[in-house]
Amino acid sequence: MNPADTALALERITAPLAPVAAGFDGFVDEMITLVAERQSLEKFTPVPDIGTFGALVSAAAGHSSLREIVVTNVHPGGCAVNMGDGLAALGVAVDCFATLGEPPHPAFAATTARFRSAHSWGREPGRTLAFEFSDGKLMYSAVRQLQEFTAEDVRRRLRDGAYRAACEEAGVVALTDWTLYPHMTGVWRLLLDEVFSKLKHRPHFFFDLVDPSSRSAEDIRAMLETLPAFGPCGPVTLGLNGNEANILARLTGLREASPEREDVLRLARDLRSRLGVATVAIHRNKFAVAAGAVDAAAVDGPHCARPVKSTGAGDRFNAGYVLGLLLGSGLEPCLTLGCATAGLYVRTAASPGREALAEFLRAWGRGLTE
């Protein structure tokens, strides 16, 4: 499918789309550049890539080392918040329930103002130091406060009925960042019993686990065993990046995927079958794939060699993909919307609107994205 066809479908939207209920992670992100050499008060050369940074760290073994950092910005973060930002820019009504702080941290104000509703489900947001390089990012998160996000606490927050009301209208329920919330599996089970199993319609459920490397194999397997329980409530899409997909492959006894597109698609099929979910989507820097029960798709994305901003790109991919779900699109248009939304975001450092996204899709179809 040519991206221009997806642009046409985007421009044909006239009726309001169903809203999205997004939760539950809210973070304050500090964007950081590491200084290699400073030439003046205003000018410095950054450490270019992760490999160079790794060599600097290794060279410091056995003695002390000091490196200057430059905090380039402070952003609202968290997958739920970032995905919500991407969806709101695309004209989708978002009801966000996340650890925004009590009172909400000022970093979230401009973003949550664009949502239909925003509810803080946490005393304090997470905090992330995001070191950005030309070939990726290294994110270091302070999350001890997120231990307070328990099933008991969520049960108390459900009493006002706002979350259930949002889910009753939602076309997609997004559940993000299992990894950094140690009690999230228990929260999911509570929500299955108290909310999702009682819905009169079957929304899509979209999951973004976040890199589970720091969690035990036992915890990950317990979480994975919970995913099929969502199936009777609505079709489940598990969204992963390449690293996350390989982690799950190792834990479930599957063969890991090489960086080749067809092998990643093979792993998406294998994971979907092994985990018992409707769809597994995997995105990498240069392409994305998805496998369902009866079909599969792969899309070579509009790769950007010199991104203006990379942090949050995966969340904008998710926003585009979820827009496709709201439109009732097949796997290939969902992937195309995801790749285009992320591709334009990394070039502009802003979530695109529908008009800008349609224009980018047409440019992509003509090979003119750089």
Side-chain angles (χ1 to χ4, degrees), residues 175-196:
L175 300 167
T176 63
D177 200 347
W178 171 84
T179 292
L180 296 177
Y181 290 73
H183 305 294
M184 190 62 81
T185 301
V187 170
W188 288 357
R189 290 170 178 159
L190 169 70
L191 294 175
L192 277 165
D193 291 339
E194 297 294 327
V195 180
F196 304 143

Side-chain angles (χ1 to χ4, degrees), residues 112 114 127 141 185 189 196 212-213 216 222-223 287 325-326 333:
T112 56
R114 303 168 68 188
R127 182 188 178 203
S141 294
T185 301
R189 290 170 178 159
F196 304 143
S213 300
S216 70
M223 175 272 295
F287 61 85
L325 293 178
L326 294 172

Side-chain angles (χ1 to χ4, degrees), residues 101-301:
E102 296 173 343
H105 192 286
F108 298 110
T111 299
T112 56
R114 303 168 68 188
F115 297 166
R116 183 170 75 164
S117 68
H119 309 259
S120 183
W121 275 19
R123 179 182 59 83
E124 184 179 351
R127 182 188 178 203
T128 296
L129 305 180
F131 287 76
E132 296 192 297
F133 302 92
S134 63
D135 59 345
K137 58 184 179 288
L138 297 173
M139 304 177 75
Y140 301 91
S141 294
V143 297
R144 183 175 181 136
Q145 65 275 32
L146 305 183
Q147 296 176 15
E148 300 172 10
F149 193 86
T150 63
E152 292 76 15
D153 184 63
V154 169
R155 187 188 301 276
R156 174 177 64 84
R157 296 179 185 278
L158 288 175
R159 291 174 188 159
D160 66 8
Y163 185 70
R164 179 167 180 172
C167 291
E168 286 173 343
E169 291 188 56
V172 176
V173 176
L175 300 167
T176 63
D177 200 347
W178 171 84
T179 292
L180 296 177
Y181 290 73
H183 305 294
M184 190 62 81
T185 301
V187 170
W188 288 357
R189 290 170 178 159
L190 169 70
L191 294 175
L192 277 165
D193 291 339
E194 297 294 327
V195 180
F196 304 143
S197 64
K198 298 178 180 179
L199 296 177
K200 296 180 180 179
H201 72 307
R202 299 184 76 248
H204 287 272
F205 288 88
F206 184 91
F207 290 85
D208 184 339
L209 304 179
V210 179
D211 185 348
S213 300
S214 61
R215 297 292 294 271
S216 70
E218 181 181 7
D219 282 350
I220 297 172
R221 290 191 180 102
M223 175 272 295
L224 294 177
E225 289 170 1
T226 305
L227 289 179
F230 288 84
C233 306
V236 171
T237 298
L238 176 59
L240 304 165
N241 64 28
N243 176 55
E244 293 159 359
N246 278 333
I247 291 171
L248 296 190
R250 291 194 295 271
L251 282 169
T252 56
L254 297 173
R255 179 165 55 90
E256 294 181 45
S258 72
E260 298 302 317
R261 193 182 80 167
E262 290 307 309
D263 202 33
V264 177
L265 182 56
R266 183 269 311 163
L267 179 55
R269 290 191 180 100
D270 291 348
L271 282 170
R272 192 212 66 79
S273 177
R274 181 63 56 89
L275 298 178
V277 298
T279 305
V280 169
I282 304 174
H283 61 87
R284 294 183 64 98
N285 283 346
K286 296 184 178 181
F287 61 85
V289 305
V294 297
D295 60 346
V299 170
D300 290 323

